[in-house]
Amino acid sequence: QGHAPTSTITPQNADSTLSGKVVNADGITPFTSAGTSNPDAGISVMSFDGTYYFTNLNGDGTFSIALEAGIYDVSVWLDSDIYPTIGAPEPFSVSVSDVTDIGDIRLVARSAAISGHVTVIGSPAAGVQINAWGPQGEPFSTTTNGSGNYTLAVTPDTWDVSPDLL
């Protein structure tokens, strides 16, 4: 039987740490969850060379990611099925060196609504997935009800909306 060729992988030195806390849209109260880790919310970090890092938020809304010193794009991820009325702020860049605490990241209220009615050959279309993408590409989705109606909570902005008819 053949064996895969041997290769050497050199780990990168994580000489710095990026940390902070996610707070609710009011800017004051921490974004908390039950348990020590929130599987439905996290922080993603991408370096300019495309290296991707992700960590779930702690139950108290804090996070910490070991990184190499450098500049990173930071964004908040929220499962929109679990948090239908809360949105993530726009992604932002941060310079990380040593211990970098970026403080509070404020979530935004999904206080606007997109609603509509889907029909197929004049009849209400139940169970059709409706997808919406914001200006930064952030996706939200919902499904039409038995009458073909849908309502989707979004942040105030311009959105592209499309039914998924497949």
Side-chain angles (χ1 to χ4, degrees):
Q1 295 182 7
H3 295 292
T6 304
S7 62
T8 302
I9 299 173
T10 306
Q12 297 180 344
N13 294 324
D15 59 2
S16 299
T17 304
L18 174 67
S19 62
K21 180 172 59 174
V22 175
V23 297
N24 285 303
D26 65 10
I28 300 168
T29 57
F31 180 71
T32 59
S33 65
T36 57
S37 178
N38 185 343
D40 304 311
I43 297 292
S44 62
V45 179
M46 186 174 294
S47 68
F48 286 134
D49 69 2
T51 304
Y52 179 80
Y53 303 87
F54 178 85
T55 190
N56 288 103
L57 294 179
N58 296 320
D60 62 358
T62 62
F63 65 91
S64 180
I65 302 176
L67 303 167
E68 287 186 68
I71 298 174
Y72 295 87
D73 287 332
V74 177
S75 58
V76 177
W77 169 77
L78 299 171
D79 183 326
S80 62
D81 289 334
I82 303 299
Y83 301 108
T85 61
I86 307 169
E90 302 261 338
F92 57 92
S93 294
V94 105
S95 178
V96 177
S97 63
D98 297 321
V99 176
T100 304
D101 184 347
I102 57 175
D104 293 348
I105 301 172
R106 184 178 180 170
L107 297 174
V108 294
R110 288 170 55 185
S111 58
I114 299 170
S115 60
H117 181 76
V118 178
T119 59
V120 175
I121 311 173
S123 297
V128 174
Q129 182 171 330
I130 305 297
N131 301 308
W133 295 271
Q136 299 298 317
E138 62 275 26
F140 291 109
S141 64
T142 191
T143 304
T144 58
N145 65 18
S147 301
N149 298 317
Y150 69 90
T151 300
L152 183 62
V154 296
T155 54
D157 216 322
T158 302
W159 291 80
D160 292 322
V161 181
S162 175
D164 184 354
L165 300 176
L166 300 175

